[in-house]
Amino acid sequence: MVKENLAKVEKNIIAACERAGRKPDDVTLIAVSKTKPVEMIEEAIEYGKKEFGENKAQEMKQKYETLPKDLKWHFIGHLQTNKVKYVVGRACLIHSVDSVHLAEAIEKESEKKNVISDILIEVNVAGEESKFGLKTDETEELIRNIAKFPHLRIKGLMTIAPYVENPEDNREIFRSLKELSVDIKSKNIDNVLMDILSMGMTGDYEVAIEEGATHVRVGTGIFGERDYSI
């Protein structure tokens, strides 16, 4: 099932890129494997998948230590400062930085482990109360504060769009994040790249790609519905 689903998602990505006049190589598919057993991840690896997303620090650590070392792990969930030690040095990219407090914890752990941590700034574009992330108009100030940390590298922005029945309803959200990214890039802030736009999930990743997503996070569309009882 996993291989067939991956093939379908990749086909959809290619079609979305064609509609937007983009190259499929410019879009990274992150297979979101949270709550999924190692066996399902191994099936995705057999298909050729190398990039996986997790939203719980200890679960990511466990999978990192169990599975082949050539995989790339993306941390996409809300990260508590006391769990930073499990993620730094294991995640190739932390998608969910939304405060100086969290950035300081990542900086401290990165210095301790002598690594540079690549991060994204999470923006709550839709202003949903239930979601983490910054307001759009708070983003630049936070970026300027975090850009001073020597062991962090800001690579771009991330958002979690609302759950909607019609993916078109999120087009404006994705467009706004892209515009914010272009605006921040134009400021030429030291230690800040705006190369990555992590946006779009199972229900709306094609629209996100049409609006400029470089990384899409697809879980259910690859692995099936999640089991939240574990």
Side-chain angles (χ1 to χ4, degrees), residues 13 48 96 102 129 137 151 160 167-168 171 177 184 211:
I13 288 172
S96 48
L102 175 57
E129 300 244 335
D137 60 7
H151 295 86
I160 300 172
E168 283 295 329
R171 189 177 291 278
L177 193 72
I184 291 168
E211 294 301 330

Side-chain angles (χ1 to χ4, degrees), residues 31 36 46 55 68 176:
K36 294 301 177 185
E46 281 173 27
N55 76 330
S176 295

Side-chain angles (χ1 to χ4, degrees), residues 10-224:
E10 287 185 347
K11 189 177 173 185
N12 291 342
I13 288 172
I14 290 166
C17 286
E18 282 176 359
R19 290 194 295 273
R22 300 180 64 197
K23 296 176 192 167
D25 287 351
D26 293 340
V27 178
T28 298
L29 170 62
I30 300 167
V32 178
S33 49
K34 59 184 181 181
T35 79
K36 294 301 177 185
V38 163
E39 293 75 22
M40 290 185 88
I41 300 172
E42 286 171 339
E43 192 180 337
I45 293 167
E46 281 173 27
Y47 180 83
K49 200 79 211 98
K50 297 276 188 190
E51 308 220 23
F52 295 90
E54 290 288 329
N55 76 330
K56 288 198 166 73
Q58 281 153 297
E59 185 179 349
M60 194 196 85
K61 176 180 181 281
Q62 193 178 7
K63 288 174 178 174
Y64 175 93
E65 288 169 358
T66 305
L67 288 154
K69 287 292 172 278
D70 63 339
L71 302 181
K72 288 185 175 179
W73 294 96
H74 294 255
F75 189 81
I76 60 175
H78 177 63
L79 183 56
Q80 295 168 295
T81 52
N82 64 335
K83 302 286 175 65
V84 162
K85 61 189 174 189
Y86 300 123
V87 173
V88 169
R90 295 185 176 93
C92 70
L93 187 61
I94 301 171
H95 289 232
S96 48
V97 177
D98 62 356
S99 71
V100 172
H101 181 57
L102 175 57
E104 282 171 344
I106 298 170
E107 165 67 22
K108 194 173 173 184
E109 188 67 24
S110 301
E111 183 177 16
K112 188 172 154 187
K113 290 181 175 168
N114 196 27
V115 297
I116 303 289
S117 290
D118 287 340
I119 64 169
L120 303 180
I121 304 302
E122 182 175 356
V123 187
N124 185 351
V125 179
E128 288 185 281
E129 300 244 335
S130 60
K131 299 257 175 74
F132 293 99
L134 295 155
K135 292 177 182 172
T136 305
D137 60 7
E138 298 171 336
T139 306
E140 185 183 332
E141 184 183 355
L142 182 79
I143 284 173
R144 288 186 182 278
N145 288 329
I146 294 176
K148 298 165 188 167
F149 293 139
H151 295 86
L152 300 188
R153 192 162 43 197
I154 300 170
K155 302 278 283 188
L157 305 176
M158 180 270 240
T159 198
I160 300 172
Y163 175 77
V164 290
E165 292 292 333
N166 180 1
E168 283 295 329
D169 293 343
N170 279 337
R171 189 177 291 278
E172 199 52 50
I173 301 287
F174 300 139
R175 191 170 289 164
S176 295
L177 193 72
K178 172 68 175 178
E179 287 169 0
L180 180 62
S181 166
V182 169
D183 180 51
I184 291 168
K185 187 168 189 166
S186 73
K187 306 283 172 69
N188 293 315
I189 305 165
D190 284 349
N191 194 30
V192 176
L193 300 167
M194 282 289 127
D195 296 341
I196 295 177
L197 270 184
S198 171
M199 58 188 193
M201 302 197 293
T202 293
D204 55 20
Y205 65 90
E206 291 179 70
V207 172
I209 289 167
E210 290 169 8
E211 294 301 330
T214 65
H215 289 58
V216 293
R217 311 177 304 270
V218 180
T220 307
I222 295 170
F223 296 107

